[in-house]
């Protein structure tokens, strides 16, 4: 009996020694550090000064503290703009009144706002161009933005005689008014393109069959492959869309109106 037990122990030990031990499981390789770089692009366009024409006739002198009634029947004038024009006249030492016995009437003849052909903005080369600037400039050389043309026309009439003593007009486009460059951002992001392939390789090599097959063999794990991808442009500042440009119109009208009223010669 004792001999049989010893024999079984020897046979079992021999079987374990003969059994092939599988190779160690492969660990996932560490991913490389991925970076994201953000760049800013500036786009500019040519600007023009406002066009202004002002004519004052010598028939009647406009004197300080004379009264002026503002007539808005011919144009759609907001309460805000009306208040701004009144303040501009006060700054010229003229008194704004709502009474009909004023010395003069200031008639707002025209307040025109018209969308015109889009304005083209060209990319500006920075003082120290970044590495990818030339390629990006070729891909995004220009930007097209909505543009509004604004025109204001006024006339000052001597109330008692009905004589026109001053008339003026001014105009400007929205790009020349705000004069802001367009600022866009763009990102360069590194990505791993073969992560699924690496995961699949590790999973396949860690099966029991594969571990037995690679005993004593060196296995080369595929390296991660990286690709840099550029994002699309994202606008940071500067009016460009129709909505953004339209928001400028109250300020444009006030600006043109102020220029004109400043041209009135008050003695």
């Amino acid at each position: 009996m004792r001999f049989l037990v010893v024999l079984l122990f020897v046979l079992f030990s021999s079987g374990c020694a003969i059994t092939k031990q599988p190779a160690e499981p492969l660990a996932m390789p560490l991913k490389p550090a991925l970076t994201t770089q953000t760049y800013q692009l500036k786009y500019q366009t040519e600007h023009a000064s406002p066009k202004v024409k002002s004519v004052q006739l010598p028939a009647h002198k406009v004197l300080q503290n004379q009264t002026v009634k503002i007539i808005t029947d011919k144009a759609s004038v907001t309460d805000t703009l009306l208040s701004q024009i009144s303040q501009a006249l006060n700054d010229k030492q003229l008194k704004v009144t709502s009474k009909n016995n004023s010395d003069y009437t200031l008639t707002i003849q025209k307040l025109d706002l018209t969308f015109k052909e889009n304005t083209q903005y060209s990319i500006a080369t920075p003082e120290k161009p970044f590495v990818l600037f030339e390629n990006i400039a070729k891909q995004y050389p220009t930007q097209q933005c909505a543009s509004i043309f604004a025109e204001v026309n006024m006339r000052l009439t001597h109330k008692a005689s009905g004589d026109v003593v001053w008339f003026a007009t001014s105009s400007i486009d929205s790009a020349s008014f705000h004069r802001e460059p367009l600022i866009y951002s763009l990102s360069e992001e590194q990505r791993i393109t073969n992560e699924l392939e690496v995961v699949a390789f590790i999973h396949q090599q860690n099966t029991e069959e594969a571990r037995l097959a690679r005993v004593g063999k060196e296995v080369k794990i595929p390296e991660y492959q990286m690709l840099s991808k550029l994002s699309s442009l994202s606008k940071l500042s500067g009016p460009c869309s129709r909505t953004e440009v339209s928001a400028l119109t109250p300020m444009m009208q006030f600006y043109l109106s102020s220029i004109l009223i400043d041209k009135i010669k008050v003695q």
Side-chain angles (χ1 to χ4, degrees), residues 77-215:
V77 181
T78 65
D79 291 340
T80 299
L81 181 58
L82 183 60
S83 175
Q84 292 168 333
I85 292 174
S86 299
Q87 184 59 52
L89 289 169
N90 289 335
D91 292 341
K92 295 289 290 187
Q93 304 303 311
L94 296 173
K95 296 180 179 180
V96 177
T97 181
S98 59
K99 298 180 180 180
N100 291 325
N101 62 345
S102 61
D103 296 308
Y104 292 94
T105 57
L106 179 73
T107 305
I108 313 299
Q109 295 282 105
K110 180 188 291 185
L111 280 177
D112 275 358
L113 293 168
T114 308
F115 274 102
K116 52 180 288 188
E117 185 178 349
N118 286 350
T119 299
Q120 179 172 291
Y121 286 74
S122 300
I123 195 167
T125 303
E127 292 183 7
K128 296 181 179 179
F130 48 88
V131 176
L132 294 178
F133 176 77
E134 186 174 344
N135 291 335
I136 293 174
K138 290 179 180 179
Q139 188 173 355
Y140 302 104
T142 61
Q143 297 294 328
Q144 301 290 326
C145 292
S147 182
I148 286 179
F149 181 77
E151 184 177 7
V152 176
N153 184 282
M154 296 181 180
R155 183 179 68 192
L156 190 67
T157 304
H158 185 252
K159 185 69 180 293
S161 64
D163 295 335
V164 175
V165 298
W166 171 84
F167 57 91
T169 183
S170 59
S171 61
I172 196 170
D173 66 86
S174 53
S176 297
F177 170 72
H178 66 77
R179 292 179 174 263
E180 298 176 47
L182 302 176
I183 306 298
Y184 287 81
S185 68
L186 176 141
S187 298
E188 179 191 18
E189 181 181 358
Q190 287 185 326
R191 297 181 179 180
I192 298 174
T193 60
N194 66 333
E195 184 174 359
L196 291 179
E197 289 84 345
V198 174
V199 170
F201 179 84
I202 296 295
H203 178 75
Q204 188 277 328
Q205 289 295 322
N206 283 341
T207 62
E208 184 176 355
E209 182 180 354
R211 289 174 61 191
L212 290 172
R214 60 183 173 83
V215 171

